[in-house]
């Protein structure tokens, strides 16, 4: 056994392959010490073989203990080794023992989806611990878990979760099919997995939702949606999703109803400001100044008196600055990221206005757009809104206010036509089990 394994693995320095001899019998054993729990190895194998050896008892343990698997195909030995299993050969039989070292035994703290009133536990990079978190919150016998092990380079275990009394069978079958047909490349994160199973490179909006919160996942399971967890990633994938799902924060479920409705309304207003305010500025300043009262129109015109170029160049210049600052704040270390972005924004904005590059009104517009974008509770969805506002800027440059209105109409038509795994993307409610369209997109 050892020779066959060594032929495939070579002689890596982090690999252990030994022949143990206790004076009565010999046993070949191999494993990766860094990936195995050494306490389990000692208690389950080393001590019974070396210090309390009884041939009949040891043989019975190997054949009856649920921790040992026998009759494992030879071509899968290395796959088990690379997952943290121990392989041993005793009396001509090969056994595989599960002794995976758990790097994490406690839930993470939420880092992306903060909540004031809700649970503070987040998913970890350990799939078993994540399933435990979900079962603690969604503790019903109808919760079903299906395991998938894609034959790609990473071979990360994937779990598909759903409530079997509320799931949609058509959607479930399609998700199973896509999980079985994953690419053979390296799969590193839930976001990468979501891109593969959504099979949508050029859609304007996401059709899956990424979350780090077990409570959000439990709520969606209760609505009849599916969830996908991946070993090695601290995020879960929810599907199918609707447009309105992205505007809910978890605190909306824990705060009083009137408060949550007010905050949801605030988020929609913020989303519209992020999406349309730069385009409306260009339209009104360059094409339709009669929209404002005369006094306000003169004020805006006076603030732009020193600006030597058209309004759309002013808008693009400031949007580029704010996008660069957001990216810099995300990539810099946390200790300096927020400070650098704040100082950079203040200095750049004031200096640009004093130099006559942009108007003071444009500084206000840029600030409102940047702040409003952060009000959207889902980061992936906010990225799409950030990109989409440039499309409205483009139509405003050529068609003014009429172009913006036509763009809004086309966006609504596009959203009404979109589907998320057969579900209408612009639907207000989740469809009942078995009622989704057969045309999965």
């Amino acid at each position: 056994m050892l020779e066959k394994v060594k032929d495939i693995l070579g002689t890596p320095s982090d690999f252990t392959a030994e022949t143990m001899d206790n004076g009565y019998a010999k046993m070949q054993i191999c494993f990766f010490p860094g990936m195995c729990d050494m306490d389990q190895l000692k208690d389950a194998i080393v001590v019974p073989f070396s210090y309390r050896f009884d041939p009949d008892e040891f043989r019975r343990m190997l054949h009856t203990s649920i921790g040992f698997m026998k009759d494992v195909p030879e071509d899968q030995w290395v796959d088990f080794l690379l997952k943290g299993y121990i392989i041993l050969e005793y009396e001509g039989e090969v056994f595989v023992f599960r002794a995976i070292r758990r790097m994490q035994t406690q839930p993470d703290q939420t880092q992306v989806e903060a909540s004031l009133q809700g649970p503070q536990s987040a998913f970890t990079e350990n799939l078993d611990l994540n399933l435990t978190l979900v079962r603690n919150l969604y503790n019903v016998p109808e919760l079903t878990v299906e395991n998938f092990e894609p034959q790609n380079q990473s071979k990360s275990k994937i779990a598909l979760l759903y409530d079997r009394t509320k799931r949609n069978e058509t959607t479930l079958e399609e998700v199973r099919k896509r999980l079985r047909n994953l690419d053979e490349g390296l799969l590193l994160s839930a976001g990468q997995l979501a891109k593969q199973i959504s099979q949508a490179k050029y859609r304007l909006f996401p059709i899956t939702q990424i979350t780090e919160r077990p409570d959000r996942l439990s709520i969606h399971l209760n609505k009849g949606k599916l969830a996908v967890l991946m070993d090695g990633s601290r995020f879960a994938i929810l599907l199918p999703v609707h447009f309105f799902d992205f505007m809910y924060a978890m605190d909306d479920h824990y705060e009083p109803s009137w408060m949550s409705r007010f905050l949801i309304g605030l988020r929609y207003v913020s989303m519209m400001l992020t999406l349309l305010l730069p385009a409306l500025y260009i339209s009104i300043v360059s094409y339709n100044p009669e929209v404002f009262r005369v006094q306000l129109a003169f004020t805006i015109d006076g603030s732009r008196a020193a600006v030597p170029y058209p309004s759309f160049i002013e808008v693009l210049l400031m949007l580029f600055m704010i996008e660069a600052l957001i990216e810099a704040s995300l990539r810099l270390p946390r200790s300096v990221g927020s400070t650098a972005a704040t100082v950079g924004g203040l200095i750049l904005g004031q200096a640009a206005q004093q130099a006559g590059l942009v108007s003071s009104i444009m500084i206000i517009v840029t600030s409102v757009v940047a702040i409003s974008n952060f009000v959207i509770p889902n980061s992936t969805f906010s990225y799409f809104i950030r990109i989409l506002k440039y499309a409205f800027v483009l139509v405003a440059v050529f068609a003014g206010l009429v172009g913006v209105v036509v763009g809004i109409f086309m966006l609504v038509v596009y959203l009404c036509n979109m589907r998320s795994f057969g579900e209408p993307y612009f639907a207000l409610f989740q469809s009942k089990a078995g009622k989704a369209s057969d045309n999965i997109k």
Side-chain angles (χ1 to χ4, degrees):
M1 182 269 289
L2 291 183
E3 288 73 17
K4 294 176 182 176
V5 173
K6 287 179 179 177
D7 286 343
I8 299 175
L9 292 175
T11 55
S13 58
D14 61 338
F15 178 64
T16 298
E18 299 287 347
T19 299
M20 300 176 64
D21 188 350
N22 60 6
Y24 300 96
K26 291 184 179 180
M27 179 178 67
Q28 292 183 346
I29 186 170
C30 58
F31 55 95
F32 284 94
M35 303 178 69
C36 295
D37 187 337
M38 302 309 289
D39 291 335
Q40 289 192 54
L41 170 65
K42 178 183 175 184
D43 296 339
I45 299 177
V46 176
V47 172
F49 184 76
S50 303
Y51 304 108
R52 295 199 300 264
F53 182 71
D54 180 285
D56 293 335
E57 184 178 345
F58 190 75
R59 192 180 302 111
R60 188 164 54 250
M61 182 195 74
L62 292 176
H63 285 85
T64 58
S65 175
I66 60 174
F68 291 92
M69 294 185 292
K70 62 178 182 179
D71 301 328
V72 176
E74 185 177 325
D75 57 350
Q76 297 182 11
W77 291 351
V78 173
D79 293 338
F80 278 104
L81 281 172
L82 293 172
K83 293 176 182 175
Y85 286 73
I86 297 171
I87 297 183
L88 60 93
E89 181 177 1
Y90 180 73
E91 293 182 342
E93 289 185 289
V94 176
F95 298 87
V96 174
F97 179 66
R98 178 186 172 92
I100 301 174
R101 182 182 181 186
R102 298 188 182 281
M103 306 297 289
Q104 202 164 10
T105 57
Q106 296 294 326
D108 279 338
Q109 293 290 315
T110 53
Q111 299 178 13
V112 180
E113 300 171 88
S115 172
L116 296 177
Q117 304 289 337
Q120 302 301 313
S121 298
F123 286 125
T124 69
E125 296 182 357
N126 184 282
L127 180 60
D128 294 333
L129 181 56
N130 291 343
L131 292 176
T132 304
L133 291 172
V134 175
R135 285 206 178 272
N136 284 338
L137 293 178
Y138 196 67
N139 194 6
V140 298
E142 291 80 14
L143 176 60
T144 304
V145 178
E146 295 183 16
N147 290 326
F148 295 83
E149 294 193 20
Q151 298 303 310
N152 51 21
Q153 292 183 17
S154 57
K155 297 181 181 176
S156 300
K157 190 159 61 173
I158 296 171
L160 174 63
L161 287 73
Y162 57 89
D163 188 319
R164 63 175 176 273
T165 62
K166 300 177 179 178
R167 88 282 182 267
N168 184 285
E169 188 61 33
T170 307
T171 305
L172 179 61
E173 283 299 325
E174 181 64 24
V175 174
R176 285 173 178 157
K177 177 183 173 184
R178 296 186 185 186
L179 288 176
R180 293 190 190 104
N181 298 325
L182 292 175
D183 289 347
E184 297 180 355
L186 197 61
L187 195 59
L188 300 176
S189 69
Q192 195 179 5
L193 176 62
K195 286 174 63 178
Q196 289 198 22
I197 61 176
S198 62
Q199 299 178 353
K201 294 183 179 178
Y202 303 109
R203 284 196 177 98
L204 294 180
F205 292 91
I207 62 170
T208 60
Q209 187 174 6
I210 305 292
T211 182
E212 64 170 352
R213 300 187 62 91
D215 52 346
R216 184 188 292 275
L217 187 144
S218 302
I219 288 175
H220 282 75
L221 287 176
N222 193 41
K223 292 179 179 177
K225 298 187 179 185
L226 312 181
V228 179
L229 289 167
M230 176 182 162
D231 200 14
S233 175
R234 64 187 304 273
F235 293 94
I237 305 168
L238 302 173
L239 57 96
V241 293
H242 301 147
F243 177 87
F244 304 100
D245 292 335
F246 294 99
M247 301 305 290
Y248 278 90
M250 286 311 299
D251 277 329
D252 298 335
H253 300 278
Y254 307 129
E255 298 284 359
S257 176
W258 60 270
M259 176 64 76
S260 61
R261 291 175 187 274
F262 171 76
L263 293 176
I264 291 171
L266 175 67
R267 291 185 204 118
Y268 280 105
V269 172
S270 300
M271 182 187 67
M272 297 303 292
L273 288 174
T274 301
L275 191 63
L276 300 177
L277 195 56
L280 290 176
Y281 177 81
I282 296 173
S283 303
I284 294 174
V285 168
S286 300
Y287 292 91
N288 307 96
E290 69 276 7
V291 173
F292 291 134
R293 297 182 62 181
V294 175
Q295 294 87 344
L296 183 56
F298 279 136
T299 301
I300 295 175
D301 187 60
S303 71
R304 295 199 70 255
V307 180
Y309 36 73
S311 59
F312 73 90
I313 294 181
E314 183 186 15
V315 168
L316 292 177
L317 178 65
M318 289 306 296
L319 289 182
F320 170 77
M321 288 185 182
I322 201 67
E323 297 288 355
L325 283 172
I326 292 174
E327 280 302 302
S329 63
L330 292 176
R331 308 304 164 201
L332 285 172
R334 288 185 180 180
S335 56
V336 297
S338 58
T339 305
T342 304
V343 174
L346 290 173
I347 294 175
L348 275 177
Q350 186 175 4
Q353 195 268 331
Q354 289 179 348
L357 296 177
V358 297
S359 66
S360 56
I361 301 294
M362 189 62 229
I363 299 294
I364 299 173
V365 169
T366 306
S367 303
V368 171
V369 169
I371 294 171
S372 300
N373 190 67
F374 290 124
V375 177
I376 299 173
N378 186 275
S379 59
T380 306
F381 189 76
S382 71
Y383 289 153
F384 283 82
I385 295 296
R386 276 170 58 188
I387 296 172
L388 197 58
K389 70 173 178 277
Y390 291 99
F392 280 95
V393 168
L394 188 64
V395 297
V397 170
F398 292 102
L401 204 55
V402 174
V404 174
V405 174
V406 172
I408 294 173
F409 176 75
M410 293 177 66
L411 178 61
V412 173
V413 172
Y414 177 80
L415 288 171
C416 293
N417 188 51
M418 266 190 70
R419 295 291 183 273
S420 172
F421 294 89
E423 293 276 343
Y425 194 68
F426 220 34
L428 290 175
F429 304 102
Q430 180 79 15
S431 67
K432 300 295 184 184
K435 296 294 184 183
S437 169
D438 292 335
N439 299 320
I440 304 292
K441 294 181 181 178

